[in-house]
Amino acid sequence: MSGTIRVPPPVNEPIFPYTPCSPERAELKAALNEMSSQEVDIPVIIGGREIRTGKTHEIHAPHDHGLRLGLWHEGGAAEARQAIADTLEAQREWASWPWEDRAAVFLRAAELLSTTWRARLNAATMLGQSKNAFQSEIDAACEIIDFFRFGAHFAERVFSQQPHSEKGVWNRTDYRPLEGFVYAVSPFNFTAIGANLAGIPAMVGCAVLWKPSKHAVLSGYHTYRLLEEAGLPPGVINFVPGNPVEITAAALEHRDFAGLHFTGSTEVFQSLWTTVGRNIASYRTYPRLVGETGGKDFILAHPSGDADAVRTAIVRGAFEYQGQKCSAASRAYVPASMWKGMKDQLVAETDGLSMGDPADFRNFVNAVIDRGAFDSITGYIRRAKAGADAEVIAGGRYSDADGFFIRPTIVHAKRPDHETMCDEIFGPVMSIHVYPDSAWSETLDIVDSTSPYALTGAVFARDRAAVREAMGRLRHAAGNFYINDKPTGAVVGQQPFGGGRASGTNDKAGSAANIARWLSPRSIKENLVPPTSYEYPFMAEE
Ligand code: NAD
């Protein structure tokens, strides 16, 4: 086939509202019922083959200990090595396909997810990761669709960047997929991140070993099946849930390890980077390391800010998905003049948030992901209650009797260096420091220097000079910076997402910059009229 092919112009997937009596609500409820009443047996999938290792783990809904959703089989070093061999084999054929055939697989996956697969992926995310319908919709449906549609668009844009040619010469750039495989390691909190980490390198021709989080195996499995249904050939992406230490060791010691596409905690990313550094002489190529990690995301209110907007940003930014978003607001700096008028309503709104099972659509917040998260988050709440430097003014209650439920909690931190102002808690805990109105300038320094992270942040001000000052002084404090808006909810193609400092390599998920990381350009010069003598004109006799 000849022709300069263009992928369809991308548009962000509309968010379904799931209002009572809407068809999407009925369909989602049916999918939730079906998935809750059947147990799935999830294998490792290598080269399209289902492998049941027999080392199984039960999948329970975080919000209901009694709801068993199925089992998954744990992969280890042997499965990882097999997956690497199979993906490298599959890549020979896959990378040789015309670009548009590869793009078509992902565009078809986006279309299936937009229609017949939507309820399935949303239900798996709601049940397995305890997300309400809206939080699931913006993640498992809309963001995956956006990653694939915009991914194809940005890849096309990267491929179209071609060099200048002088007379007699034709220069070209061949955008080769990485030579070797990409190791995609995804976190529990977004189904879309797994789809993106594994899917985007594959879209541009790479071989992929995908290790999902043990807490997102259910949604990861359905994501894999979606890609398979869309026509992804066996082996291009191999799905290997399992022992992270064993699988990682097998991947990072392999000669053909060519890239790491990671999202998760800073500590784990740094340990993987250290291992890569230690093994560096053993690889065929220098691996690309892309990691998006933790955050301690801030809301900074200026005395000129709109108190209602700040309050709403705190409630939505801190407590949606129980604060388990890397972008979730978890520290706020509020001027004393604003705090006086805001505190009571903020506390009342926070204490009024409905909490419970995501299948009951009236609930705003659901459960945190597991026992480890529950213990760690409640530890912060207990210490805040016990210490003199902080006061728990909203929430502060929790129970693991039925599921891992923690009430949205607000800590009033008397000191800006209280642990709740500094650590990534990754739960429904918002820590607020009230500063004297006259200390705006010092507060900017505190916001900038309190945490090693630099993921998201928001400033609220009506005074434009204050916005400008915050933009300048906090330039490196956040990779995603919001003015008069909450620091969560980045949309693919609109606010490319990623942070600097300890928050990651800032390669911006869902952007052309990210896609370029999975490509190794080959510069080709073709001389249309090659010289036939070694002598240059200056060598001629006078
Ligand atoms: P995590 O670090 O516990 O796990 C992430 C992945 O790493 C999982 O697949 C896990 O199995 C794997 N892993 C864990 N220990 C490992 C080890 N020793 N060796 C190799 N792999 C290992 O993170 P999580 O709890 O799943 O997710 C929450 C974290 O992710 C938070 O810190 C959050 O800020 C971060 N996050 C960041 C972004 C971003 O875009 N910056 C997005 C989502 C989540």
Side-chain angles (χ1 to χ4, degrees):
M1 142 146 200
S2 302
T4 306
I5 314 295
R6 297 260 178 272
V7 299
V11 279
N12 288 112
E13 177 70 3
I15 301 169
F16 284 8
Y18 295 92
T19 41
C21 303
S22 60
E24 70 269 14
R25 186 172 170 124
E27 208 182 321
L28 181 54
K29 290 226 164 186
L32 285 166
N33 281 339
E34 190 183 326
M35 226 174 255
S36 305
S37 57
Q38 293 171 357
E39 292 202 7
V40 60
D41 180 27
I42 301 178
V44 170
I45 305 177
I46 300 175
R49 301 181 305 280
E50 297 188 354
I51 296 166
R52 291 192 163 72
T53 60
K55 206 168 175 189
T56 56
H57 300 270
E58 294 188 355
I59 306 171
H60 289 271
H63 47 268
D64 181 354
H65 300 319
L67 178 54
R68 207 175 95 144
L69 300 161
L71 296 172
W72 61 274
H73 290 254
E74 176 183 311
E79 287 73 28
R81 284 191 206 103
Q82 187 59 54
I84 294 166
D86 277 41
T87 192
L88 290 171
E89 180 57 35
Q91 190 198 20
R92 290 170 194 267
E93 161 89 13
W94 173 246
S96 74
W97 281 20
W99 150 242
E100 60 268 24
D101 288 315
R102 279 188 270 116
V105 170
F106 288 89
L107 292 174
R108 176 167 153 73
E111 231 38 50
L112 291 171
L113 184 51
S114 173
T115 53
T116 48
W117 280 67
R118 195 176 197 114
R120 188 189 310 189
L121 240 69
N122 273 331
T125 302
M126 290 173 72
L127 294 171
Q129 288 137 271
S130 201
K131 272 197 185 189
N132 69 32
F134 177 75
Q135 292 300 318
S136 178
E137 167 76 4
I138 58 175
D139 165 20
C142 300
E143 197 172 16
I144 295 183
I145 295 169
D146 289 353
F147 273 135
F148 290 169
R149 288 187 185 147
F150 280 85
H153 165 75
F154 287 129
E156 182 181 275
R157 196 187 276 183
V158 171
F159 295 155
S160 71
Q161 287 171 30
Q162 292 293 329
H164 165 75
S165 297
E166 297 274 303
K167 182 172 164 33
V169 166
W170 187 7
N171 294 320
R172 274 162 281 166
T173 299
D174 167 19
Y175 289 96
R176 302 170 300 182
L178 299 185
E179 188 181 21
F181 70 94
V182 172
Y183 180 37
V185 183
S186 51
F188 79 83
N189 62 338
F190 278 88
T191 303
I193 294 180
N196 178 52
L197 297 186
I200 293 300
M203 183 191 279
V204 295
C206 291
V208 179
L209 163 61
W210 176 20
K211 195 209 77 57
S213 160
K214 66 180 175 184
H215 300 301
V217 176
L218 182 65
S219 61
Y221 173 68
H222 288 288
T223 304
Y224 179 85
R225 290 295 190 209
L226 165 72
L227 288 168
E228 193 179 59
E229 172 76 18
L232 188 76
V236 170
I237 294 174
N238 288 313
F239 175 74
V240 187
N243 182 313
V245 175
E246 270 190 34
I247 295 172
T248 298
L252 300 188
E253 72 192 16
H254 200 287
R255 180 170 180 262
D256 291 312
F257 168 65
L260 172 66
H261 205 188
F262 176 88
T263 301
S265 57
T266 298
E267 188 192 4
V268 172
F269 184 52
Q270 291 184 351
S271 81
L272 267 52
W273 192 303
T274 303
T275 306
V276 172
R278 217 173 29 240
N279 296 347
I280 197 68
S282 65
Y283 301 129
R284 187 198 288 271
T285 62
Y286 290 103
R288 304 280 172 87
L289 304 182
V290 173
E292 294 304 334
T293 65
K296 185 67 184 172
D297 309 305
F298 60 85
I299 289 178
L300 169 61
H302 183 260
S304 71
D306 177 337
D308 289 336
V310 173
R311 191 191 70 250
T312 303
I314 289 175
V315 173
R316 284 188 167 175
F319 302 131
E320 283 183 320
Y321 193 39
Q322 297 78 264
Q324 299 174 117
K325 299 187 184 190
C326 47
S327 57
S330 63
R331 54 180 171 133
Y333 302 82
V334 179
S337 60
M338 184 186 288
W339 183 242
K340 253 199 293 179
M342 192 174 94
K343 179 182 170 188
D344 290 349
Q345 198 176 345
L346 175 64
V347 168
E349 260 178 26
T350 302
D351 281 338
L353 295 174
S354 48
M355 181 170 78
D357 190 324
D360 178 345
F361 283 26
R362 292 169 302 179
N363 290 321
F364 184 86
V365 287
N366 313 111
V368 301
I369 195 71
D370 73 341
R371 161 85 41 212
F374 182 85
D375 290 346
S376 156
I377 298 162
T378 55
Y380 280 97
I381 296 174
R382 269 199 307 279
R383 289 193 294 279
K385 281 180 177 168
D389 289 338
E391 187 189 351
V392 173
I393 58 172
R397 284 170 293 119
Y398 41 83
S399 165
D400 59 358
D402 303 321
F404 299 115
F405 287 105
I406 302 177
R407 283 290 323 166
T409 297
I410 297 181
V411 176
H412 180 178
K414 306 282 159 61
R415 295 162 50 111
D417 60 354
H418 187 264
E419 66 168 359
T420 56
M421 296 296 294
C422 306
D423 297 358
E424 182 184 52
I425 301 172
F426 220 62
V429 178
M430 163 51 102
S431 187
I432 298 180
H433 179 65
V434 179
Y435 68 91
D437 288 35
S438 56
W440 163 251
S441 185
E442 295 88 309
T443 304
L444 284 170
D445 285 336
I446 290 169
V447 173
D448 190 39
S449 60
T450 292
S451 122
Y453 301 113
L455 192 50
T456 75
V459 63
F460 283 78
R462 290 189 180 98
D463 175 345
R464 194 69 208 175
V467 171
R468 281 180 51 80
E469 194 183 1
M471 288 267 285
R473 299 263 298 271
L474 300 176
R475 188 154 186 225
H476 292 284
N480 282 56
F481 192 82
Y482 294 80
I483 301 166
N484 294 322
D485 201 1
K486 66 180 169 56
T488 57
V491 175
V492 175
Q494 298 194 39
Q495 300 95 21
F497 193 78
R501 295 185 182 162
S503 290
T505 53
N506 199 17
D507 288 288
K508 296 298 186 203
S511 74
N514 177 285
I515 286 171
R517 302 284 275 145
W518 315 117
L519 296 165
S520 179
R522 175 169 62 146
S523 295
I524 300 168
K525 173 185 175 186
E526 180 168 352
N527 200 333
L528 300 171
V529 190
T532 51
S533 158
Y534 79 90
E535 289 173 308
Y536 290 101
F538 76 88
M539 297 166 71
E541 287 205 33
E542 299 270 344

